[in-house]
Amino acid sequence: MRYKPSVPGSLLIRLVLLSVAAASTNLWAAEAPKVVTKDGRHALMVDGAPFLVLGAQINNSSSWPSTLPAVWPALEDMHANTVEAPVYWEQMEPSPGKFDFSTVDLLVQQSRQHHMHLVVLWFGTWKNGNMHYVPQWVKADTKKYPRVINQAGEPIDVLSANSRNNLEADKHAFTALMHHLAEVDSNEHTVIFVQVENESGIVGSPRDYSKDSNREFEGKVPADLLRAAQKPAGTWREVFGGDADETFQAYHQSRYINEIAEAGKHEFNIPLYCNVWLSYPIAELPERQVGNPGIGWPSGGPVQHSLWLWKAFTPAIDVIAPDIYSDDLGFYTSILKTYARPDNALFVPETGNGDPYARFLFLALNDGTIGFSPFGVDHTGWTFADGTGPKLHTENYALLEPISREIARSNFEGKLKAAAESPGQAEQELDFGKWKASVRFGFPQRDGRRPPGTSDNTGRALVAQLSEDEFLVTGIDASVAFHVEGRLPGIRMQILSAEEGTYENGVWKASRLWNGDQTDRGLNFHKHNKVAVKIHIGTF
Ligand code: DGJ
């Protein structure tokens, strides 16, 4: 069922006139955001050019008139360019078919006032593998809106993805939301992404064990899933063995969400994504040493091992995006590499707001990310009080925000490389073919000695190739020196100019030249000089 606003007859003529006016205004409207892919790389296009989401996600209960005043100062202090904020189904549709868009309107208006883009998070059927944000009229009517039945035959706190009524109810609300966004944001495009559901899946059961679902599970695996899995025909258990229950759930859940997304896109064609509660490395507790869908992670969601299925069954979803809450370097890197695929743009919509997570922005950029967003950034007191906030994430955003458009463009063109310090790796090399950029972390860097690294492994640097011999360079606690293959910096090469500056409306504005101590031992980016340098080099 598509969302159809009921239009009283008397309003009809005014609406027709308004839409004619809107159509002419649209001639000057900003281009709708979209995710584009070229040669296996991706960009989130905003106003017609690649955009890097330097995001901040607010706390779950912060999208309210009473709490939004505590949101904006936090995001502004952080230099974020995008707010990620939830819209709650329970608030938006307090009784069936009666919509209250006040929260959505407030978010859109206030984002504009604060010059930020907005990512709308739809807290619908699923929120963290439960159903806590569905309206009371859904919670109350368990017959019409059935719950997942667990293996013990008990209903649990999750709506079943095997119910048409559940799907239709969510779809009706989500299309209403997208229809409303089209009405209020088709010209300005403040909203650049909509997240469909939040960390979908079942906490508490691998799948729905209702009578109907069990009957279906005893039958044959559908042909479209066999094709996607490249498996021969059989029952669910025969085809998927021990993974059959989770695969059954993932199949139904991904199609459920895709149907909702497709209907929403029909109302307003802007990028949609699903975020993921990941499967984390096995915990030390003996009872958790078995990968366990429904316990270790919400069953049916787009976790690492189900990404293949989700990509096959969610064509209306532009991006599957991992929420990364482990600061283990190996795990973080493996997740970035898993979700950065030629058919899936990397986007990290949630990550830890603590200092150890800040350097991962640079690793994500190195894997082509279109955005990054620490979670829980507002001054409501849940995580941060007034005047406080993430420290190193703020350093990152202060450094990158002024040059974020150039970063996004270079990344889309495959010309961006970034480095983050890790224990024992205070020296790294970025390869640009003819030119190599040697990155050394920590100061002081004594002649002839290895760089000391930083005490907390937080050095980071970024190099974007602007033309064959021109680079935009920045970093924190890092030096960057260019050289040609097999020769030290300064040998048979020279710096023609090194300009400190920034971009204003896409145009480079130099403020001074670096030379002497500022260039002789590489371009040095100390903690306190958050600047970018455009360097022009040549050989002789
Ligand atoms: C991940 C969820 O997606 C967020 O909404 C929030 O609950 C965080 N976890 C809390 O850490």
Side-chain angles (χ1 to χ4, degrees), residues 147-191:
R147 311 289 177 92
V148 165
I149 305 295
N150 69 12
Q151 278 151 304
E154 299 277 348
I156 60 171
D157 200 9
V158 191
L159 285 185
S160 171
N162 298 74
S163 153
R164 184 41 53 187
N165 282 354
N166 292 346
L167 198 166
E168 290 297 344
D170 189 329
K171 186 165 72 166
H172 188 245
F174 185 71
T175 49
L177 169 64
M178 295 300 280
H179 183 91
H180 185 75
L181 288 176
E183 281 179 342
V184 298
D185 200 39
S186 288
N187 284 338
E188 292 195 41
H189 291 297
T190 299
V191 181

Side-chain angles (χ1 to χ4, degrees), residues 57 60 123 127-128 198-199 275 323 325 350 375:
Q57 185 162 146
N60 290 163
F123 284 11
K127 162 71 173 78
N128 297 17
N198 190 85
E199 294 191 344
N275 66 333
D323 296 345
Y325 284 98
E350 286 184 43
F375 176 81

Side-chain angles (χ1 to χ4, degrees), residues 166-342:
N166 292 346
L167 198 166
E168 290 297 344
D170 189 329
K171 186 165 72 166
H172 188 245
F174 185 71
T175 49
L177 169 64
M178 295 300 280
H179 183 91
H180 185 75
L181 288 176
E183 281 179 342
V184 298
D185 200 39
S186 288
N187 284 338
E188 292 195 41
H189 291 297
T190 299
V191 181
I192 53 174
F193 240 140
V194 176
Q195 178 187 290
V196 192
E197 312 296 340
N198 190 85
E199 294 191 344
S200 70
I202 309 177
V203 165
S205 181
R207 67 171 171 89
D208 179 26
Y209 292 85
S210 66
K211 252 201 223 124
D212 287 350
S213 295
N214 282 346
R215 195 173 317 111
E216 192 182 332
F217 185 81
E218 293 311 321
K220 300 277 186 209
V221 172
D224 53 359
L225 181 55
L226 289 176
R227 262 196 308 280
Q230 299 184 320
K231 302 252 192 198
T235 65
W236 287 85
R237 193 60 78 204
E238 284 163 356
V239 175
F240 294 109
D243 296 330
D245 300 284
E246 187 182 12
T247 310
F248 181 84
Q249 175 61 20
Y251 177 70
H252 288 286
Q253 190 177 310
S254 59
R255 290 163 77 247
Y256 181 114
I257 290 179
N258 188 63
E259 190 174 327
I260 291 170
E262 198 176 38
K265 256 199 167 156
H266 197 84
E267 298 295 333
F268 194 29
N269 189 3
I270 59 171
L272 303 179
Y273 76 94
C274 290
N275 66 333
V276 189
W277 176 332
L278 295 165
S279 151
Y280 286 88
I282 301 297
E284 280 173 16
L285 292 174
E287 64 270 30
R288 309 215 35 196
Q289 284 178 359
V290 185
N292 214 342
I295 296 179
W297 60 90
S299 186
V303 285
Q304 302 90 308
H305 54 264
S306 300
L307 191 52
W308 65 271
L309 183 153
W310 274 75
K311 287 309 292 183
F313 291 100
T314 57
I317 296 290
D318 296 270
V319 175
I320 305 281
D323 296 345
I324 319 182
Y325 284 98
S326 162
D327 64 3
D328 178 85
L329 175 69
F331 179 75
Y332 213 107
T333 312
S334 79
I335 294 301
L336 297 176
K337 304 236 173 278
T338 300
Y339 287 85
R341 308 178 3 154

